[in-house]
Amino acid sequence: MTSHIEVYAGTAGHSAWFSNDLGQTWVHPNSHSGMYLEARVWTISSHPADPNRLYAGTDMGVFRWDEHTTRWTHLPSPMQDVWALTQDPDQPEVLYAGTRPAAFYRSRDAGQTWEPLEAPGIQTFSPINMGPTRVTQILFDPHNHDTVWAMVEIGGAYRSLDRGNTWTLQTEGLLSGDMHGVAVVHDASGQKIVYVTTNRGLHRSLNNGETWEFQPLDSPWQYTRAIVTRADRDDIMFLTNGNGPPGNTGRLLRSRDYGASWKPVDLPGVLNSTPWCVATHPHDPLVLFVVTNLGQLFRSTDGGDSWIRLPHEFGEVRALHWRPTDYPTDRPAHSITVRPAV
């Protein structure tokens, strides 16, 4: 099913990297492309209805990549350190952003202007880690687009039932407010299950986040980071698990029963840190990418049954994303403004 896709990696200090050959080789757009070469890229977002644009949240605010001009454009905003971005599933021009210190923002015009969103009780400084809190993920409920989730590290799980207009803090039953990822599934009986990941483990809710229960993993560690469903089905889920941030080892877990049980997936070689990101896309749900926090990259083309380790190794990676693009496949990817990977 795959025609032409591009893979993107956001790094903590070496900007964003691009691959147009399923991650085999990578290029680094240079400073003439519009983004500072040493930017920290925390998050990447795209929308199937707008294939020529890509958004990145960085330590310098929000940038937009335009496929036809192969340039980054900085989008002025009241935000600086943007850790989470997502787009309304039904309106690609409506963007939601989360920052460090933790705050929520929305743009209704593709990032040209932004409005703050009130989140009662949101903490901007954590006495636990003696630093600012940050929004690690914003997710639309795939089954009900009026519901939006936002994870705050360290500050708890927020839920909106009206597309981000109002928010409530949903923490009852959580062992920790150090939130990382969120996923929403409907099981075979139609039961809605919300999963969140924390530094102290996986939690789930059967009542849309009103209460949470800890779900222990059969693993040497309970630290969890990313949780995603495979793009074509709710029963297959992936969870990243390791011995801390960044840690020095970890594992990728897979569930085939809507998250009720988890088993390790064989990633080749010795992992150098906790797996951090899983990238999937409905264009081809069998194509998956995983990256560790310290930059080891893996690919599956059979839906997660088997994996290969890709040759390039980054430094610290914080975002991983892929999407189909519509530019001619015989054009070298961003050949005008790239610095080859070394």
Side-chain angles (χ1 to χ4, degrees):
M1 181 178 178
T2 301
S3 52
H4 177 74
I5 74 170
E6 279 202 348
V7 192
Y8 308 92
T11 67
H14 292 282
S15 189
W17 294 69
F18 297 70
S19 173
N20 68 353
D21 57 6
L22 293 174
Q24 288 296 129
T25 60
W26 294 79
V27 293
H28 188 195
N30 65 29
S31 56
H32 298 294
S33 295
M35 184 186 288
Y36 179 48
L37 281 179
E38 295 177 3
R40 298 177 178 179
V41 179
W42 307 116
T43 180
I44 299 171
S45 177
S46 69
H47 197 289
D50 190 9
N52 294 310
R53 288 183 175 179
L54 181 81
Y55 296 90
T58 79
D59 60 344
M60 300 175 68
V62 178
F63 286 78
R64 184 189 68 232
W65 176 266
D66 296 293
E67 194 62 50
H68 292 311
T69 62
T70 64
R71 295 291 189 278
W72 289 107
T73 299
H74 182 253
L75 303 177
S77 75
M79 305 174 291
Q80 179 163 341
D81 216 358
V82 178
W83 276 55
L85 277 177
T86 196
Q87 292 165 262
D88 188 306
D90 305 309
Q91 304 174 82
E93 72 279 5
V94 178
L95 281 72
Y96 293 77
T99 61
R100 181 179 67 175
F104 306 149
Y105 293 84
R106 176 171 57 199
S107 172
R108 300 180 185 272
D109 54 10
Q112 298 305 304
T113 60
W114 295 84
E115 60 178 322
L117 301 173
E118 292 296 325
I122 197 165
Q123 299 180 49
T124 58
F125 181 85
S126 168
I128 297 174
N129 67 352
M130 298 303 294
T133 59
R134 52 256 182 187
V135 181
T136 49
Q137 186 178 2
I138 302 174
L139 177 77
F140 275 81
D141 183 328
H143 304 279
N144 177 0
H145 295 169
D146 286 337
T147 301
V148 190
W149 291 93
M151 301 295 104
V152 180
E153 181 189 38
I154 301 167
Y158 276 83
R159 184 191 68 193
S160 172
L161 300 177
D162 55 10
R163 258 185 161 91
N165 292 320
T166 59
W167 296 84
T168 57
L169 182 61
Q170 308 292 146
T171 59
E172 185 176 343
L174 291 174
L175 297 184
S176 171
D178 189 346
M179 313 303 297
H180 298 152
V182 56
V184 182
V185 301
H186 282 188
D187 70 14
S189 71
Q191 171 70 55
K192 178 178 178 176
I193 311 171
V194 184
Y195 291 96
V196 293
T197 61
T198 77
N199 68 325
R200 294 183 62 185
L202 180 66
H203 294 70
R204 72 172 189 169
S205 174
L206 301 180
N207 54 13
N208 205 31
E210 293 297 320
T211 59
W212 303 93
E213 59 181 19
F214 175 60
Q215 183 173 332
L217 299 173
D218 182 14
S219 170
W221 328 281
Q222 294 302 307
Y223 183 92
T224 51
R225 197 76 200 183
I227 183 168
V228 303
T229 58
R230 211 174 76 178
D232 57 337
R233 46 196 293 183
D234 278 8
D235 58 326
I236 298 180
M237 305 180 71
F238 295 91
L239 175 66
T240 62
N241 171 228
N243 65 346
N248 57 18
T249 188
R251 55 173 56 175
L252 177 67
L253 304 176
R254 177 172 60 180
S255 174
R256 297 179 181 269
D257 53 11
Y258 304 94
S261 62
W262 299 87
K263 294 183 179 180
V265 171
D266 184 23
L267 294 178
V270 177
L271 299 193
N272 66 0
S273 55
T274 297
W276 210 252
C277 308
V278 180
T280 181
H281 196 284
H283 175 74
D284 190 341
L286 299 184
V287 175
L288 297 154
F289 295 89
V290 169
V291 68
T292 66
N293 190 205
L294 296 183
Q296 292 172 329
L297 188 65
F298 305 87
R299 182 185 70 216
S300 173
T301 56
D302 57 10
D305 289 337
S306 62
W307 296 81
I308 64 169
R309 181 173 168 182
L310 296 168
H312 187 73
E313 188 166 321
F314 295 97
E316 184 178 352
V317 174
R318 288 305 187 106
L320 190 65
H321 187 79
W322 79 261
R323 63 174 183 149
T325 60
D326 64 357
Y327 73 77
T329 57
D330 60 350
R331 187 192 81 182
H334 319 305
S335 58
I336 298 174
T337 57
V338 300
R339 183 175 70 182
V342 294

